[in-house]
Amino acid sequence: MRRQFADSMAQRSRRMLLNPFFARVDFREEGATVAERIVIGLYSLKDEKGELLVHDWRAPVCSLYYDAMPGEAAYQSPSGEIRGELTLKRQYRMEQGRLKYYVDTRLSIDDSMLLDILSGATSRHMRQIVATIQSEQNAAIRQDDARVVSVVGSAGSGKTSVAMHRAAYLMYHRRDLLDASKIMILSPSTAFSEYVSGVLPELGEENIRARTLREVVEDVLGKKVEKPYHQLEALLDDADGLRRESVQYKGGAAFLDQLRRFADNFAAYGPGFRDVRLDRQVLIRRDELTRMYRGELSLLTPAQKLQRMAATLQTRLEGWEDRLYKQYEKSFSGRYGQRELRQMCNIAVAQRLQPVRAQLRQMLEMKGGDLLKQAMRAAPKPLRDAFDENLAAGLTWWEDAVAEAYLMVRLGFATPDKQIYHLLVDEAQDYSDTALAMLGCYYPNARVTLLGDPKQRTTPGLEDCDPARWGACFGMADAPVFPLSRCYRSTRPIAELCNRILPGGNALIPFGREGNPPTVARYSEALLKQTLEAFRAAGHSSIAVITRSQAQADSLSTKLDRVYRLDGGEADLNYESGDNVVACYHLTKGMEFDAVVVVWPEVALDDGERRRLYTAASRALHDVALLGGEGLVEALG
């Protein structure tokens, strides 16, 4: 215990050496003539005399920084409300223990790149734009009433930064309830989990946990399911029409309504009970099973009802076993010795009652596949047949996995996670309505922040993304949606390339840095290698070669030196933000790289294809090269 405490204190000291403070407010209490200077950092720091030099960001007085603007202000202290005037709000940018710059502002700026832009801004127009972005972000960060909040913006609009700082804000205001261990980030890939797990800013806490939706679903179902990007690979194959039909049928609000109706019906009436027979004899009548489920056990969850019924019927089975044993013992007596007689009687009883046990298991022991099979009775026959074949083969398509998980949690067959009090869902545009509803059931105590860009919904078959519907999936139809209007992380030339790629009417609003013009050229292996080396020579530390498919990424990774192939598996946990990587676009969603080389095959640029290409190109912060076929070069060059 002492060693753990010493290690924790040493880690705190190292953090404070590199970033001793990040903000300051000057506050003059009512009746005072001089303003008190309050310096804010990750932890408190005292001098030799015990005087506070730096205040811990969680201290009550620090709420002035998070909640107040210059002018009349107040904060709640242990002794009551303290009123006065806030005369200064200042933010500092530190790098490796050295002060890079400071900015005086009205709102706390919760994004390092905005701070960088503002520190170098000389025009009033530029400062007004930054103030507008600050205002948009702060409205989402400090929304304190709604259980579900949606933050919607294009690539590079600061969605992830808003989510991290919203977590920080909620931790500050709910210090008695919320700490890092009770926050979960749901990310699109294993690599993104590693990428984002350490970026909860300026909290002085341990990293928050990050998982993928697939990991949650597999925990709920207790089995392996298809990886989401494998689903995508199948959908990109134009010949697989059945798979697109499956995703289209199961991806929207109508299918979620169907599952909800089934769950309500199952909760009220059970799985459809039948008489339990032994040969021609009825051992347990259907109406008795129905009465047990609807009457005696009415206050329990459906899963608990079936478990209680199974325990009750097991007692009856034991009685039947005793009676049958005595009958066989009498019948076999004289033909076997005592030991053999006991063995033969047990075998005979087990064989005789095996059909009864099978009938009871079929009615009382439910798995996700069993529930979804019943829920899909109204589905088109080709989809029912495909589901039955997969079920027999032990294969679970991704769109089926989330539906199974929803039913398992909703009906009590899987235990919800009640330890999470805040859930951050990144890339929410890629989640079906059923997937979002499943999260609402699985994390019943959590406030939810959803982040997404409808322009990056790239799964073929899914209907257009409408963030206004996200709240309804969690049972909050009026959940607020906060739009972030401007793209400021990528350079203006990259944003303009993205605008040429996007379908009409979906343009980004670029703001901020100028930069090198993008390269749009015919693909060749030689040009790919030349471009990669040029980006390295320019000093870019994180570079990505992004492809349309994983098969394409696998092939390129064998031809390039000093690159790390992302494949969606556990090995991606070894990914570090400075690595050069090769991956299909789906596995890089939510991530950013100094430079990106997009390698794309010759395909028709319909709306879906343009959204996929936009997703790949918008990963770039400073430089991008788009290498593809002749049609792509003609359309975008």
Side-chain angles (χ1 to χ4, degrees), residues 454-480:
K455 295 185 286 294
Q456 291 187 61
R457 173 168 271 197
T458 58
T459 302
L462 285 180
E463 59 192 43
D464 288 346
C465 176
D466 180 7
R469 284 209 330 254
W470 291 349
C473 297
F474 292 85
M476 284 196 61
D478 59 347

mmCIF file of all heavy atoms in Angstrom, residues 454-480:
data_model
loop_
_atom_site.group_PDB
_atom_site.id
_atom_site.type_symbol
_atom_site.label_atom_id
_atom_site.label_comp_id
_atom_site.label_asym_id
_atom_site.label_seq_id
_atom_site.Cartn_x
_atom_site.Cartn_y
_atom_site.Cartn_z
ATOM 1 N N PRO A 454 -22.808 12.812 -39.717
ATOM 2 C CA PRO A 454 -23.655 12.063 -40.653
ATOM 3 C C PRO A 454 -23.007 11.832 -42.007
ATOM 4 O O PRO A 454 -23.313 10.844 -42.686
ATOM 5 C CB PRO A 454 -24.901 12.958 -40.771
ATOM 6 C CG PRO A 454 -24.950 13.705 -39.478
ATOM 7 C CD PRO A 454 -23.504 13.957 -39.111
ATOM 8 N N LYS A 455 -22.089 12.723 -42.410
ATOM 9 C CA LYS A 455 -21.422 12.562 -43.700
ATOM 10 C C LYS A 455 -20.463 11.370 -43.696
ATOM 11 O O LYS A 455 -20.021 10.931 -44.752
ATOM 12 C CB LYS A 455 -20.663 13.848 -44.054
ATOM 13 C CG LYS A 455 -21.567 15.050 -44.276
ATOM 14 C CD LYS A 455 -20.787 16.257 -44.740
ATOM 15 C CE LYS A 455 -19.978 16.902 -43.632
ATOM 16 N NZ LYS A 455 -20.814 17.493 -42.585
ATOM 17 N N GLN A 456 -20.129 10.862 -42.498
ATOM 18 C CA GLN A 456 -19.237 9.705 -42.412
ATOM 19 C C GLN A 456 -20.004 8.395 -42.164
ATOM 20 O O GLN A 456 -19.388 7.395 -41.813
ATOM 21 C CB GLN A 456 -18.202 9.912 -41.309
ATOM 22 C CG GLN A 456 -17.184 10.989 -41.634
ATOM 23 C CD GLN A 456 -16.067 11.058 -40.613
ATOM 24 O OE1 GLN A 456 -15.319 10.106 -40.417
ATOM 25 N NE2 GLN A 456 -15.952 12.194 -39.940
ATOM 26 N N ARG A 457 -21.322 8.389 -42.338
ATOM 27 C CA ARG A 457 -22.048 7.109 -42.317
ATOM 28 C C ARG A 457 -21.769 6.421 -43.648
ATOM 29 O O ARG A 457 -22.279 6.825 -44.686
ATOM 30 C CB ARG A 457 -23.536 7.307 -42.115
ATOM 31 C CG ARG A 457 -24.312 6.003 -42.269
ATOM 32 C CD ARG A 457 -25.755 6.079 -41.800
ATOM 33 N NE ARG A 457 -25.837 5.754 -40.382
ATOM 34 C CZ ARG A 457 -26.975 5.415 -39.773
ATOM 35 N NH1 ARG A 457 -28.101 5.346 -40.447
ATOM 36 N NH2 ARG A 457 -26.989 5.154 -38.483
ATOM 37 N N THR A 458 -20.974 5.374 -43.618
ATOM 38 C CA THR A 458 -20.453 4.786 -44.857
ATOM 39 C C THR A 458 -20.852 3.332 -45.057
ATOM 40 O O THR A 458 -20.402 2.704 -46.006
ATOM 41 C CB THR A 458 -18.914 4.876 -44.861
ATOM 42 O OG1 THR A 458 -18.397 4.204 -43.705
ATOM 43 C CG2 THR A 458 -18.444 6.317 -44.855
ATOM 44 N N THR A 459 -21.673 2.769 -44.162
ATOM 45 C CA THR A 459 -22.057 1.370 -44.291
ATOM 46 C C THR A 459 -23.157 1.231 -45.337
ATOM 47 O O THR A 459 -24.260 1.763 -45.148
ATOM 48 C CB THR A 459 -22.561 0.815 -42.951
ATOM 49 O OG1 THR A 459 -21.528 0.976 -41.973
ATOM 50 C CG2 THR A 459 -22.910 -0.659 -43.070
ATOM 51 N N PRO A 460 -22.908 0.523 -46.442
ATOM 52 C CA PRO A 460 -23.954 0.345 -47.447
ATOM 53 C C PRO A 460 -25.177 -0.349 -46.854
ATOM 54 O O PRO A 460 -25.060 -1.285 -46.067
ATOM 55 C CB PRO A 460 -23.279 -0.554 -48.499
ATOM 56 C CG PRO A 460 -21.810 -0.318 -48.323
ATOM 57 C CD PRO A 460 -21.629 -0.100 -46.852
ATOM 58 N N GLY A 461 -26.346 0.135 -47.211
ATOM 59 C CA GLY A 461 -27.573 -0.469 -46.716
ATOM 60 C C GLY A 461 -28.226 0.315 -45.602
ATOM 61 O O GLY A 461 -29.451 0.275 -45.444
ATOM 62 N N LEU A 462 -27.441 1.029 -44.793
ATOM 63 C CA LEU A 462 -28.023 1.824 -43.722
ATOM 64 C C LEU A 462 -28.686 3.068 -44.305
ATOM 65 O O LEU A 462 -28.123 3.719 -45.190
ATOM 66 C CB LEU A 462 -26.958 2.238 -42.707
ATOM 67 C CG LEU A 462 -26.450 1.171 -41.738
ATOM 68 C CD1 LEU A 462 -25.405 1.766 -40.799
ATOM 69 C CD2 LEU A 462 -27.591 0.564 -40.931
ATOM 70 N N GLU A 463 -29.858 3.411 -43.786
ATOM 71 C CA GLU A 463 -30.530 4.625 -44.233
ATOM 72 C C GLU A 463 -29.746 5.846 -43.779
ATOM 73 O O GLU A 463 -28.845 5.756 -42.949
ATOM 74 C CB GLU A 463 -31.956 4.663 -43.690
ATOM 75 C CG GLU A 463 -32.034 4.630 -42.180
ATOM 76 C CD GLU A 463 -33.440 4.383 -41.664
ATOM 77 O OE1 GLU A 463 -34.141 3.516 -42.216
ATOM 78 O OE2 GLU A 463 -33.823 5.061 -40.699
ATOM 79 N N ASP A 464 -30.066 7.012 -44.346
ATOM 80 C CA ASP A 464 -29.350 8.241 -43.995
ATOM 81 C C ASP A 464 -29.405 8.477 -42.484
ATOM 82 O O ASP A 464 -30.404 8.191 -41.826
ATOM 83 C CB ASP A 464 -29.948 9.436 -44.731
ATOM 84 C CG ASP A 464 -29.612 9.424 -46.211
ATOM 85 O OD1 ASP A 464 -28.709 8.655 -46.606
ATOM 86 O OD2 ASP A 464 -30.261 10.158 -46.982
ATOM 87 N N CYS A 465 -28.303 9.016 -41.973
ATOM 88 C CA CYS A 465 -28.175 9.243 -40.531
ATOM 89 C C CYS A 465 -28.904 10.529 -40.132
ATOM 90 O O CYS A 465 -28.708 11.580 -40.748
ATOM 91 C CB CYS A 465 -26.694 9.343 -40.168
ATOM 92 S SG CYS A 465 -26.381 9.722 -38.446
ATOM 93 N N ASP A 466 -29.724 10.431 -39.087
ATOM 94 C CA ASP A 466 -30.433 11.591 -38.553
ATOM 95 C C ASP A 466 -30.156 11.689 -37.055
ATOM 96 O O ASP A 466 -30.782 11.000 -36.250
ATOM 97 C CB ASP A 466 -31.937 11.452 -38.803
ATOM 98 C CG ASP A 466 -32.725 12.645 -38.273
ATOM 99 O OD1 ASP A 466 -32.089 13.624 -37.839
ATOM 100 O OD2 ASP A 466 -33.974 12.593 -38.297
ATOM 101 N N PRO A 467 -29.202 12.537 -36.639
ATOM 102 C CA PRO A 467 -28.865 12.640 -35.207
ATOM 103 C C PRO A 467 -30.037 13.034 -34.319
ATOM 104 O O PRO A 467 -30.015 12.758 -33.119
ATOM 105 C CB PRO A 467 -27.764 13.714 -35.191
ATOM 106 C CG PRO A 467 -27.163 13.670 -36.555
ATOM 107 C CD PRO A 467 -28.312 13.360 -37.469
ATOM 108 N N ALA A 468 -31.063 13.653 -34.884
ATOM 109 C CA ALA A 468 -32.229 14.015 -34.083
ATOM 110 C C ALA A 468 -32.938 12.784 -33.541
ATOM 111 O O ALA A 468 -33.702 12.879 -32.578
ATOM 112 C CB ALA A 468 -33.193 14.854 -34.921
ATOM 113 N N ARG A 469 -32.682 11.610 -34.154
ATOM 114 C CA ARG A 469 -33.320 10.370 -33.705
ATOM 115 C C ARG A 469 -32.522 9.649 -32.633
ATOM 116 O O ARG A 469 -33.024 8.706 -32.015
ATOM 117 C CB ARG A 469 -33.496 9.389 -34.878
ATOM 118 C CG ARG A 469 -34.609 9.708 -35.818
ATOM 119 C CD ARG A 469 -35.186 8.432 -36.470
ATOM 120 N NE ARG A 469 -34.257 7.353 -36.646
ATOM 121 C CZ ARG A 469 -33.722 6.986 -37.806
ATOM 122 N NH1 ARG A 469 -34.027 7.635 -38.907
ATOM 123 N NH2 ARG A 469 -32.897 5.959 -37.891
ATOM 124 N N TRP A 470 -31.284 10.048 -32.410
ATOM 125 C CA TRP A 470 -30.429 9.291 -31.494
ATOM 126 C C TRP A 470 -31.013 9.257 -30.091
ATOM 127 O O TRP A 470 -31.005 8.224 -29.428
ATOM 128 C CB TRP A 470 -29.026 9.902 -31.460
ATOM 129 C CG TRP A 470 -28.245 9.717 -32.726
ATOM 130 C CD1 TRP A 470 -28.573 8.914 -33.777
ATOM 131 C CD2 TRP A 470 -27.020 10.351 -33.092
ATOM 132 N NE1 TRP A 470 -27.628 9.011 -34.771
ATOM 133 C CE2 TRP A 470 -26.662 9.891 -34.379
ATOM 134 C CE3 TRP A 470 -26.191 11.277 -32.460
ATOM 135 C CZ2 TRP A 470 -25.507 10.309 -35.031
ATOM 136 C CZ3 TRP A 470 -25.038 11.700 -33.110
ATOM 137 C CH2 TRP A 470 -24.697 11.221 -34.376
ATOM 138 N N GLY A 471 -31.500 10.373 -29.626
ATOM 139 C CA GLY A 471 -32.045 10.425 -28.276
ATOM 140 C C GLY A 471 -33.195 9.455 -28.084
ATOM 141 O O GLY A 471 -33.332 8.838 -27.016
ATOM 142 N N ALA A 472 -34.044 9.307 -29.108
ATOM 143 C CA ALA A 472 -35.195 8.414 -29.000
ATOM 144 C C ALA A 472 -34.763 6.972 -28.779
ATOM 145 O O ALA A 472 -35.479 6.191 -28.145
ATOM 146 C CB ALA A 472 -36.058 8.521 -30.257
ATOM 147 N N CYS A 473 -33.596 6.596 -29.291
ATOM 148 C CA CYS A 473 -33.094 5.231 -29.078
ATOM 149 C C CYS A 473 -32.810 4.973 -27.598
ATOM 150 O O CYS A 473 -32.837 3.828 -27.150
ATOM 151 C CB CYS A 473 -31.824 5.007 -29.897
ATOM 152 S SG CYS A 473 -32.066 5.132 -31.683
ATOM 153 N N PHE A 474 -32.554 6.035 -26.840
ATOM 154 C CA PHE A 474 -32.311 5.928 -25.405
ATOM 155 C C PHE A 474 -33.561 6.284 -24.597
ATOM 156 O O PHE A 474 -33.473 6.451 -23.383
ATOM 157 C CB PHE A 474 -31.160 6.848 -24.994
ATOM 158 C CG PHE A 474 -29.816 6.431 -25.519
ATOM 159 C CD1 PHE A 474 -29.403 6.801 -26.781
ATOM 160 C CD2 PHE A 474 -28.959 5.655 -24.740
ATOM 161 C CE1 PHE A 474 -28.167 6.410 -27.276
ATOM 162 C CE2 PHE A 474 -27.725 5.263 -25.220
ATOM 163 C CZ PHE A 474 -27.326 5.638 -26.497
ATOM 164 N N GLY A 475 -34.688 6.423 -25.292
ATOM 165 C CA GLY A 475 -35.916 6.779 -24.596
ATOM 166 C C GLY A 475 -36.038 8.257 -24.304
ATOM 167 O O GLY A 475 -36.825 8.662 -23.446
ATOM 168 N N MET A 476 -35.238 9.102 -25.002
ATOM 169 C CA MET A 476 -35.287 10.558 -24.803
ATOM 170 C C MET A 476 -35.449 11.236 -26.158
ATOM 171 O O MET A 476 -34.478 11.682 -26.774
ATOM 172 C CB MET A 476 -34.007 11.053 -24.129
ATOM 173 C CG MET A 476 -33.920 10.754 -22.650
ATOM 174 S SD MET A 476 -32.634 11.746 -21.870
ATOM 175 C CE MET A 476 -33.226 13.411 -22.181
ATOM 176 N N ALA A 477 -36.684 11.281 -26.640
ATOM 177 C CA ALA A 477 -36.936 11.824 -27.973
ATOM 178 C C ALA A 477 -36.559 13.292 -28.093
ATOM 179 O O ALA A 477 -36.267 13.779 -29.192
ATOM 180 C CB ALA A 477 -38.407 11.628 -28.331
ATOM 181 N N ASP A 478 -36.553 14.019 -26.981
ATOM 182 C CA ASP A 478 -36.248 15.457 -27.019
ATOM 183 C C ASP A 478 -34.805 15.757 -26.618
ATOM 184 O O ASP A 478 -34.490 16.884 -26.226
ATOM 185 C CB ASP A 478 -37.205 16.222 -26.110
ATOM 186 C CG ASP A 478 -37.141 15.744 -24.650
ATOM 187 O OD1 ASP A 478 -36.542 14.673 -24.408
ATOM 188 O OD2 ASP A 478 -37.689 16.442 -23.776
ATOM 189 N N ALA A 479 -33.921 14.782 -26.710
ATOM 190 C CA ALA A 479 -32.515 15.005 -26.326
ATOM 191 C C ALA A 479 -31.903 16.103 -27.188
ATOM 192 O O ALA A 479 -32.105 16.136 -28.410
ATOM 193 C CB ALA A 479 -31.725 13.712 -26.478
ATOM 194 N N PRO A 480 -31.159 17.038 -26.583
ATOM 195 C CA PRO A 480 -30.597 18.156 -27.359
ATOM 196 C C PRO A 480 -29.497 17.706 -28.310
ATOM 197 O O PRO A 480 -28.742 16.769 -28.023
ATOM 198 C CB PRO A 480 -30.034 19.085 -26.275
ATOM 199 C CG PRO A 480 -29.778 18.201 -25.100
ATOM 200 C CD PRO A 480 -30.819 17.131 -25.151
#
